[in-house]
Amino acid sequence: MLMNRRRFVKNSLAAAIAASLPVNDGLAALLGPSAKVTADIDAVTGDGAEVTLGRAAIQELADSLRGDLLLPGHAAYEDARHVINASINKYPALIVQPRGVADIRSAVNFARESRLLTAVKCGGHSHSGKSTCNGGLMIDLSKHHRNVLVDPQRKIAQVSGGSLLGDMDHETMSFGLVTTAGTVSHTGVGGLTLGGGFGRLARRFGLSMDNVLGYEIVTPDGEFRRASADEDPDLYWGLRGGGGNFGVVTNFEFRLHEMNREVIGGTIGFPLQEARQVLNFYADYALEAPDELGLELVMFGSSPENSLIMLPLCYCGPHKQVEPILKKVRSAGTVIMDNVGPMDYVALQRSGDLSDPRAIGSYTKSGFLSKLSPSFIDAAVTSFEAREGRNTVFAIQHAGGAISRVAPNETAFPHRGINFIPLLIIDWPIDSNAREHVAWLKETWNRFEPELEGFYTNDLIDETQEQVDRNYLGNYGRLVALKNKYDPTNLFRLNANVRPTA
């Protein structure tokens, strides 16, 4: 989704490591099989207890890896510990960057045996920072565990768990094949797909997870398993929407679809003064639009003179049928911006990358709706007008279509009747005080919540455990049973957590 995101500028905070996390001299190293560990290291368990990791155990972990073990004090550690949201500033006790399944198994076994707080990072797009942690183990798949292998005859892609969406789009579209894959190319395939996977093509081809034919996963016991409709179907069900609750997915097998590489894409913009008119149009037309059209809505304002309401779109159907659709969209108001035209789909997928906010802090809330009511539209417009010119974005992603043609209990993701995904985003310079901005967004979001029908677990920020449980709707009990079976100690808890009861 277009969210005016900006490029990341890394923070130089190496001097704060010692104050943030107890470390020892002699551990400031990038450890490989030949390295010698000379001291213990302090860490924390999943329940927050302090624990000391013996140097012999750390050495054994280092010796078992083909990839890298990073400890505080090394430049590679400083880069790896960061995530997209610059307001998240955490220091893992150690970071494993695996080069394959064997390394992932070693990391998971080490985490389980030491009862470590454990985070899994791919693209690092978790707004709440759950792909990193303070004092625990980060398993960073993004460095080495990336690969996409396309079988054009079978229309299948094998995608390693650390791959980014851009990796997958680039490889599959070279064969005229595609699957639903988010809207920002440096998003991780793993996090996006395990939580659901919305994107520009979801109305035509379903969610990302709806296109997964099989998973390969290292579960908390360190075992390597395959899950598909024919092999461990219960785990397969849970991985489609259950998030990272059941282990580290090492490979996804995606179903691919034929699609013309050239789509109709771009944005049609209108004066912000016409926001109510455009929103009312969108509320109606989005429900009747063809599946081939992904039509989003964005109200953006960085200054009074740079504020407008936009309808970004992607049409992936026959080009000869698009003109009546574009005429309809343009009728929403007074067009003051229009760059819609034929474009390369992979280029469209990358079009928001350079504006991703990485030198700033940000805070986001999202939810699900089946319809946009007059009261919701009024709250959106009045709230945005009050904040105009202060780096605020109100956006709505288009759902419905093929997403809705799956039963709520067919996968762990139950929210199949939704047509709209509203988001409210605010950002601020990282060196300024975030409190005012976050407080405003929370207060504003409270006006929307009575109408919401759940939320996207991939946008989890500070929801309570009760809200998380309730958000799984009728699928919650089955998810708990799976959690009891595969992760009874809740090793993988940094997610939209399903708490075990075993």
Side-chain angles (χ1 to χ4, degrees):
M1 180 186 306
L2 179 64
M3 290 192 279
N4 193 44
R5 300 182 171 184
R6 287 181 282 275
R7 186 183 295 273
F8 177 67
V9 178
K10 294 184 297 181
N11 294 318
S12 178
L13 297 173
I17 294 174
S20 174
L21 179 69
V23 297
N24 298 277
D25 294 339
L27 286 181
L30 169 62
L31 299 181
S34 62
K36 298 300 179 184
V37 181
T38 60
D40 301 340
I41 187 168
D42 295 324
V44 297
T45 65
D47 57 10
E50 296 181 358
V51 63
T52 298
L53 304 175
R55 60 182 180 179
I58 301 170
Q59 183 69 64
E60 184 177 354
L61 174 62
D63 292 344
S64 74
L65 299 175
R66 191 165 59 93
D68 305 323
L69 177 62
L70 310 180
L71 299 174
H74 194 282
Y77 168 92
E78 181 62 16
D79 183 66
R81 74 177 183 87
H82 285 290
V83 293
I84 297 291
N85 187 350
S87 65
I88 304 297
N89 188 31
K90 297 182 180 180
Y91 294 84
L94 62 169
I95 300 172
V96 171
Q97 293 180 324
R99 287 187 179 270
V101 172
D103 286 0
I104 294 172
R105 294 186 70 191
S106 292
V108 171
N109 285 332
F110 183 84
R112 184 189 66 255
E113 292 163 4
S114 303
R115 301 183 297 113
L116 287 177
L117 179 66
T118 303
V120 182
K121 175 186 172 184
C122 182
H125 276 246
S126 167
H127 291 294
S128 60
K130 292 186 182 299
S131 51
T132 186
C133 59
N134 277 322
L137 168 66
M138 174 199 281
I139 302 174
D140 178 13
L141 303 177
S142 65
K143 182 69 174 179
H144 305 303
H145 197 65
R146 291 170 59 174
N147 190 49
V148 179
L149 181 63
V150 179
D151 183 337
Q153 282 71 43
R154 298 174 60 212
K155 299 180 184 176
I156 286 174
Q158 304 291 342
V159 182
S160 298
S163 303
L164 304 184
L165 304 187
D167 301 334
M168 185 163 66
D169 285 335
H170 177 76
E171 295 295 332
T172 63
M173 276 265 71
S174 69
F175 297 99
L177 299 170
V178 74
T179 197
T180 303
T183 56
V184 176
S185 76
H186 47 64
T187 304
V189 170
L192 176 96
T193 304
L194 290 170
F198 293 90
R200 291 183 172 93
L201 307 180
R203 287 172 43 77
R204 181 177 177 185
F205 299 127
L207 299 173
S208 299
M209 68 174 192
D210 294 333
N211 291 283
V212 178
L213 299 173
Y215 300 83
E216 294 178 351
I217 182 172
V218 175
T219 45
D221 57 4
E223 293 298 314
F224 174 75
R225 305 175 191 273
R226 292 183 175 87
S228 67
D230 300 319
E231 190 171 3
D232 208 338
D234 284 343
L235 182 58
Y236 176 62
W237 176 89
L239 289 169
R240 290 185 293 165
N245 272 289
F246 306 111
V248 182
V249 175
T250 63
N251 188 74
F252 298 82
E253 182 177 84
F254 281 97
R255 176 194 300 111
L256 303 178
H257 308 269
E258 293 182 4
M259 190 183 83
N260 191 333
R261 182 166 186 142
E262 186 178 78
V263 298
I264 303 298
T267 299
I268 300 172
F270 310 88
L272 187 63
Q273 293 81 355
E274 298 181 4
R276 280 185 173 81
Q277 175 184 333
V278 176
L279 269 161
N280 282 318
F281 164 86
Y282 184 75
D284 293 333
Y285 182 66
L287 299 178
E288 64 185 52
D291 290 356
E292 293 81 6
L293 179 67
L295 183 66
E296 297 160 4
L297 181 143
V298 179
M299 283 194 290
F300 168 72
S302 59
S303 64
E305 64 276 5
N306 186 25
S307 297
L308 67 164
I309 183 166
M310 302 175 286
L311 296 177
L313 63 87
C314 174
Y315 177 77
C316 60
H319 289 196
K320 62 183 180 181
Q321 298 179 13
V322 76
E323 280 308 318
I325 295 171
L326 296 181
K327 182 178 179 181
K328 182 74 171 179
V329 175
R330 290 174 178 132
S331 73
T334 305
V335 176
I336 59 174
M337 179 183 111
D338 190 341
N339 59 15
V340 172
M343 66 184 303
D344 180 87
Y345 173 72
V346 177
L348 179 60
Q349 286 287 85
R350 293 173 178 164
S351 62
D353 292 2
L354 296 182
S355 58
D356 199 272
R358 312 247 188 138
I360 59 174
S362 65
Y363 189 85
T364 304
K365 298 289 280 185
S366 75
F368 292 146
L369 289 170
S370 57
K371 65 178 181 179
L372 296 178
S373 69
S375 58
F376 187 90
I377 290 172
D378 183 68
V381 173
T382 55
S383 298
F384 188 83
E385 287 175 343
R387 194 71 181 183
E388 182 184 348
R390 302 181 71 175
N391 285 332
T392 307
V393 175
F394 175 82
I396 302 176
Q397 191 163 9
H398 198 183
I403 300 168
S404 65
R405 292 191 282 274
V406 178
N409 63 354
E410 189 171 331
T411 66
F413 179 85
H415 299 279
R416 295 295 182 167
I418 61 171
N419 292 297
F420 305 98
I421 308 169
L423 299 96
L424 188 60
I425 307 162
I426 191 166
D427 58 50
W428 59 88
I430 193 60
D431 57 356
S432 68
N433 191 330
R435 187 175 306 167
E436 174 209 347
H437 307 290
V438 173
W440 174 85
L441 192 145
K442 287 183 175 180
E443 179 184 352
T444 301
W445 194 252
N446 287 338
R447 304 173 194 169
F448 299 147
E449 281 197 327
E451 299 195 43
L452 298 178
E453 302 164 22
F455 61 90
Y456 190 21
T457 56
N458 285 3
D459 291 332
L460 181 74
I461 297 288
D462 53 11
E463 282 74 13
T464 66
Q465 186 63 55
E466 181 183 0
Q467 288 173 311
V468 172
D469 296 349
R470 191 167 60 244
N471 194 54
Y472 287 114
L473 303 181
N475 294 336
Y476 177 67
R478 187 174 176 183
L479 283 167
V480 171
L482 282 171
K483 188 74 170 180
N484 288 341
K485 178 178 180 179
Y486 290 104
D487 190 15
T489 65
N490 207 13
L491 178 66
F492 293 99
R493 66 182 66 200
L494 294 178
N495 44 51
N497 195 226
V498 177
R499 296 170 299 176
T501 59

